[in-house]
Amino acid sequence: MSHFHRTAAFHTLGCKLNFAETSTIARQLTDAGYDKVGFDESANIYVINTCSVTENADRECKLHVKRAMKANPEGLVVIVGCYAQLKPEEISQIEGVDLVLGAKEKFNILSYLDDLEKSDNEGIVHSCEIEETDFFIGSYSIGDRTRAFLKVQDGCDYKCTYCTIPLARGISRSDTIENVINNAKEIAGRDIKEIVLTGVNIGDYGKGEFGNKRHEHTFLDLISELDQVEGIERIRISSIEPNLLKDESIELVSKSKSFVPHFHIPLQSGSDDLLKKMKRRYLTKLYNDRVNKIREVMPDAAIGVDVIVGFPGETEELFMETYNFLNDLPITYLHVFTYSERENTEAVGMEGVVPIPERKKRNKMLRILSEKKKMAFYQTQLGKTLPVLWEHENKDGKMYGFTENYVRVQKDFDPSSVNQIEFLKLERIEADGTVSVMNSFESFLEKI
């Protein structure tokens, strides 16, 4: 197969971590001489990186296998990722699938491709038991040429009762500080202005740095070291458990030159009863304290919250506890997830199942609350002059970017602004929910 021009196409489902990993796999293939093409073009190899968290993981997987087979019936289809770790046998039965690689094997894709041929019956599975996943592959992906997602940790030792991640990604393990810093320097060298730190349980950083439970570093050490790397304008922490977000880390971000005032902290429920049933490692009081600590040292920080509706036992009354808790908290926006049953999790057998229509209604209520919170936050930022990092996309003559504290801003497209940081005065909230800015010349005149 090595004697002619080879092409590979990629499609990613799921989280930022998956995007980081797809990039790593794609780089391995391009380094080996493959050309990267679009997923709907004819390619020799189609790699689909799957997710087990989405409700219809199975359907999505089949859909993209069909897309690949339509683009090139002779193309080899390789399925990797969380769903591939959880249900490898089922995936191998899907028509058109040639190879299924588990959590460990996906980073060694080249060694499986050499003698792979299009199969008429079922695909070949290489998937070790997740217990053996003790290695760490550091990876970063370049999202939109403006920011890169840098993976520093993988896996999780928590046993939340709704979650399949420990089954799909294994125990908590970390990249070494040295590797993370080298990756960060490499990203800085590519003129990428923003790094988003990602992991499955990033606050647990340091555990498994040496392939065992021993660790010499903590999350605080990691961010202190990253703060010293030259040439990175912004570092964003993607998502961190409230019990692992310590005061020292919050203080560091508030004084940092590169860490931005933006936190994303999963809550999951505003009811202590449900937090216990979920086996979360904190109660609402701790969560409340974290948010207030951030507000105290960074009054303008953006604070995002993950929340799950419709968990077993969530009565109308307990849902309203969550609703009111969030309504009173000085947070910026919500990511709302509707609880869905997952095999092999503890929550599946729990009583008090919430009917699906009720789950949907609660989801909608919180999404509306999120929109209101976000607009109220944007309102407090109007009139301020803030640094905006512009993205490369031209959408109907407009370009978009984010302030450090995650306000989405727009202006007329100007190619010379792409991937630049400009200090601009936030003017008003537009109909599409973004904020328009004075152009730099007007803000310059105002300053004089």
Side-chain angles (χ1 to χ4, degrees):
M1 202 171 143
S2 55
H3 58 279
F4 63 90
H5 170 72
R6 296 180 294 182
T7 51
F10 303 87
H11 187 80
T12 308
L13 302 162
C15 66
K16 287 174 180 169
L17 213 59
N18 273 10
F19 282 91
E21 293 176 351
T22 302
S23 281
T24 297
I25 295 167
R27 272 201 295 276
Q28 289 180 355
L29 290 179
T30 50
D31 288 350
Y34 284 83
D35 283 336
K36 195 171 160 185
V37 297
F39 200 80
D40 290 307
E41 295 174 47
S42 175
N44 302 117
I45 288 165
Y46 294 89
V47 180
I48 302 170
N49 194 353
T50 60
C51 169
S52 62
V53 180
T54 48
E55 198 153 352
N56 32 23
D58 181 51
R59 210 178 68 211
E60 293 218 7
C61 188
K62 286 182 176 146
L63 181 81
H64 295 296
V65 173
K66 275 210 178 82
R67 265 179 72 195
M69 290 294 80
K70 195 176 153 198
N72 177 13
E74 299 304 304
L76 297 171
V77 177
V78 184
I79 312 287
V80 300
C82 290
Y83 193 58
Q85 180 70 42
L86 281 180
K87 300 276 171 81
E89 302 307 325
E90 285 179 30
I91 295 175
S92 68
Q93 310 287 326
I94 297 174
E95 193 179 330
V97 171
D98 302 294
L99 180 64
V100 183
L101 299 179
K104 198 167 188 165
E105 293 73 17
K106 62 187 166 192
F107 294 113
N108 198 6
I109 187 167
L110 284 166
S111 61
Y112 297 106
L113 291 180
D114 285 346
D115 41 11
L116 187 64
E117 288 175 357
K118 193 77 201 149
S119 72
D120 293 334
N121 41 28
E122 62 189 71
I124 304 159
V125 174
H126 294 281
S127 166
C128 70
E129 278 308 304
I130 196 71
E131 278 71 48
E132 297 166 33
T133 327
D134 53 3
F135 68 100
F136 181 91
I137 300 279
S139 42
Y140 61 89
S141 77
I142 295 162
D144 53 12
R145 303 201 279 271
T146 308
R147 60 180 60 82
F149 299 102
L150 172 57
K151 179 177 143 192
V152 299
Q153 183 275 345
D154 197 351
C156 189
D157 293 340
Y158 287 8
K159 297 281 182 279
C160 302
T161 56
Y162 50 79
C163 186
T164 55
I165 282 176
L167 300 170
R169 283 188 173 270
I171 59 168
S172 177
R173 52 209 187 272
S174 308
D175 204 349
T176 62
I177 273 203
E178 196 184 8
N179 279 350
V180 174
I181 299 298
N182 286 338
N183 278 335
K185 286 178 177 162
E186 214 173 286
I187 293 166
R190 290 169 175 243
D191 190 34
I192 290 168
K193 301 280 193 288
E194 181 175 308
I195 288 180
V196 184
L197 294 187
T198 62
V200 168
N201 187 353
I202 190 174
D204 209 20
Y205 175 81
K207 203 183 269 182
E209 210 181 334
F210 302 95
N212 55 24
K213 284 292 164 211
R214 189 166 74 80
H215 61 95
E216 272 172 25
H217 298 105
T218 61
F219 181 68
L220 182 63
D221 297 336
L222 173 74
I223 62 177
S224 313
E225 295 253 343
L226 277 170
D227 202 26
Q228 306 305 314
V229 177
E230 290 299 314
I232 300 161
E233 299 276 345
R234 294 181 171 184
I235 307 176
R236 217 176 273 283
I237 298 167
S238 65
S239 177
I240 182 163
E241 292 284 310
N243 48 304
L244 296 171
L245 177 57
K246 302 285 192 272
D247 281 357
E248 296 81 6
S249 300
I250 295 173
E251 299 273 351
L252 183 136
V253 171
S254 75
K255 299 186 178 84
S256 161
K257 58 180 199 302
S258 49
F259 278 88
V260 296
H262 175 203
F263 294 87
H264 193 94
I265 315 169
L267 168 69
Q268 311 312 14
S269 172
S271 146
D272 285 346
D273 292 356
L274 288 177
L275 288 173
K276 287 173 188 161
K277 282 185 77 176
M278 290 174 168
K279 292 198 175 160
R280 301 293 286 155
R281 305 218 174 172
Y282 54 86
L283 295 172
T284 49
K285 182 186 178 320
L286 176 121
Y287 195 91
N288 196 30
D289 291 348
R290 297 295 74 208
V291 169
N292 287 316
K293 171 69 185 173
I294 293 169
R295 278 280 163 259
E296 181 195 316
V297 294
M298 287 171 270
D300 293 315
I303 304 174
V305 182
D306 286 338
V307 60
I308 295 172
V309 294
F311 188 79
E314 185 183 59
T315 58
E316 181 68 29
E317 191 185 8
L318 291 182
F319 168 70
M320 285 315 293
E321 247 181 69
T322 295
Y323 188 92
N324 294 326
F325 180 69
L326 288 165
N327 198 13
D328 295 340
L329 266 186
I331 53 154
T332 314
Y333 63 93
L334 304 170
H335 282 173
V336 189
F337 299 89
T338 303
Y339 171 75
S340 65
E341 285 74 2
R342 295 276 176 271
E343 282 173 57
N344 302 325
T345 57
E346 223 181 302
V348 164
M350 289 181 183
E351 284 167 19
V353 173
V354 179
I356 303 275
E358 186 56 39
R359 294 183 205 182
K360 288 188 171 149
K361 185 189 111 187
R362 291 174 190 178
N363 182 308
K364 195 166 184 183
M365 280 175 74
L366 285 181
R367 286 213 315 272
I368 294 167
L369 178 64
S370 176
E371 217 31 56
K372 289 200 299 210
K373 286 274 188 192
K374 193 166 94 181
M375 287 305 122
F377 176 73
Y378 279 13
Q379 209 76 50
T380 65
Q381 301 302 302
L382 297 180
K384 296 188 172 172
T385 298
L386 298 174
V388 177
L389 173 56
W390 294 108
E391 291 161 8
H392 68 279
E393 227 175 328
N394 180 348
K395 287 187 185 158
D396 303 323
K398 294 276 179 210
M399 69 193 309
Y400 294 86
F402 282 99
T403 61
E404 293 184 331
N405 60 345
Y406 218 51
V407 176
R408 191 155 163 74
V409 177
Q410 60 144 300
K411 69 169 185 172
D412 291 336
F413 188 80
D414 168 5
S416 70
S417 292
V418 169
N419 199 28
Q420 298 303 315
I421 292 178
E422 297 175 342
F423 279 81
L424 297 166
K425 186 173 176 185
L426 305 197
E427 281 260 69
R428 60 169 181 271
I429 299 174
E430 297 296 334
D432 66 354
T434 61
V435 175
S436 55
V437 289
M438 268 189 181
N439 72 44
S440 22
F441 185 63
E442 285 170 47
S443 353
F444 169 69
L445 287 178
E446 266 220 344
K447 271 187 205 148
I448 299 172

